[in-house]
Amino acid sequence: LLDCSNLSFSSPFKRMNALRALPRSLMISAFGGAGATKSFASKVYFSSGSHDKAYLIVNSLGIDRTGIVSELSKVVSDAGGNVGESQAAKVGNHFSLTMLVSVPSDKSKSLQSQLQNLSGMNTHCIETDGDPNAVQVRPSIAYSGRFVLEGADDPGLVHKVTSVLAKHNLSIDTMETADEIAAQLFKIDGICTALAPLPKSFDSDVIREELFELSNSLNCDITLEDNVTRKKRGNWIWTVEAA
């Protein structure tokens, strides 16, 4: 399966020229033509492969206020950099922003210094090895499921649920937790995955049974829905994959 969403070229025309150069079989797989199938197959990512850039993982945390994202992105832009993937979250009265930033290599150190010296923000930068979007093959995901817990708040809920998943070699892809103080309710909503090949002993029904037994002991509801992948940004809608 070819994922074209992350193609990185300086103009739409260069992107289209690159796509035209791909074998017809890849074009069909990428855009859902005749005979295309949906699966958890590995994805191949293409990029311009620039070697004069540095790539940083930037995490900034501070008291929530208006303009945080604007200020951080301006510092990046002024340094000739670009924000790629990013995730933001409000936790309590704090705001956290994590960004994948590309910047000219000769500006990397100064950019890190500027970001780390922003007033009111605690910022940490990690320089990655090479272009994270360079040509690569990702491991196939053999299982993906959505797990949800809803019930009375109780110490250790996150640990207890994720321990069951870890016991069956399931990794947490995404997870959100929330509590309603007035109602004393707690919610966990996340996606767990397992890479191919799955062991013959893997059985999602067994995992569901263990989660059900755990829910009875904790006075809450826990569900595990198969073939559900990443959450769409900005809402609580999840995508169901074809089996």
Side-chain angles (χ1 to χ4, degrees):
L1 177 65
L2 178 68
D3 186 347
C4 295
S5 61
N6 290 331
L7 283 171
S8 175
F9 296 100
S10 59
S11 74
F13 301 103
K14 290 185 178 182
R15 179 181 300 184
M16 289 307 300
N17 288 335
L19 290 173
R20 292 191 186 101
L22 293 173
R24 177 174 173 77
S25 60
L26 288 181
M27 291 288 286
I28 291 174
S29 177
F31 296 103
T37 59
K38 291 183 178 180
S39 70
F40 288 115
S42 300
K43 296 181 180 180
V44 180
Y45 291 77
F46 291 84
S47 75
S48 56
S50 176
H51 299 291
D52 60 350
K53 291 184 178 180
Y55 296 87
L56 308 172
I57 303 296
V58 178
N59 177 257
S60 294
L61 177 69
I63 299 294
D64 188 31
R65 57 181 171 79
T66 302
I68 291 179
V69 176
S70 176
E71 292 176 13
L72 288 167
S73 58
K74 183 179 186 303
V75 173
V76 173
S77 179
D78 288 348
N82 184 60
V83 177
E85 299 176 42
S86 65
Q87 291 187 350
K90 183 178 178 181
V91 182
N93 65 341
H94 281 69
F95 181 82
S96 174
L97 176 65
T98 301
M99 307 179 289
L100 172 60
V101 172
S102 60
V103 63
S105 296
D106 59 350
K107 301 289 184 64
S108 175
K109 298 301 182 183
S110 61
L111 173 60
Q112 293 182 55
S113 177
Q114 292 178 63
L115 289 170
Q116 290 166 346
N117 287 315
L118 279 176
S119 176
M121 300 299 295
N122 186 347
T123 301
H124 185 57
C125 302
I126 300 175
E127 190 162 342
T128 67
D129 296 327
D131 184 350
N133 293 317
V135 176
Q136 57 181 302
V137 177
R138 293 188 175 182
S140 295
I141 297 177
Y143 175 83
S144 181
R146 178 189 181 189
F147 61 97
V148 177
L149 176 147
E150 293 180 304
D153 195 2
D154 186 82
L157 281 179
V158 173
H159 168 67
K160 292 171 184 176
V161 172
T162 55
S163 292
V164 172
L165 301 177
K167 173 184 173 183
H168 295 275
N169 295 316
L170 289 171
S171 298
I172 305 301
D173 186 4
T174 62
M175 186 178 74
E176 295 183 7
T177 62
D179 58 350
E180 299 179 13
I181 298 176
Q184 294 185 325
L185 295 177
F186 190 77
K187 180 174 182 178
I188 302 174
D189 197 337
I191 292 292
C192 57
T193 59
L195 299 180
L198 286 176
K200 293 182 179 180
S201 60
F202 183 87
D203 188 340
S204 59
D205 288 334
V206 172
I207 304 172
R208 261 186 290 274
E209 180 62 29
E210 291 187 24
L211 291 173
F212 177 74
E213 293 175 2
L214 177 63
S215 69
N216 285 338
S217 68
L218 297 174
N219 190 29
C220 63
D221 295 322
I222 308 176
T223 59
L224 176 64
E225 182 182 359
D226 297 340
N227 300 324
V228 182
T229 56
R230 289 184 300 174
K231 187 182 70 173
K232 295 180 180 178
R233 293 181 183 275
N235 55 42
W236 287 87
I237 299 175
W238 301 76
T239 303
V240 179
E241 283 285 339

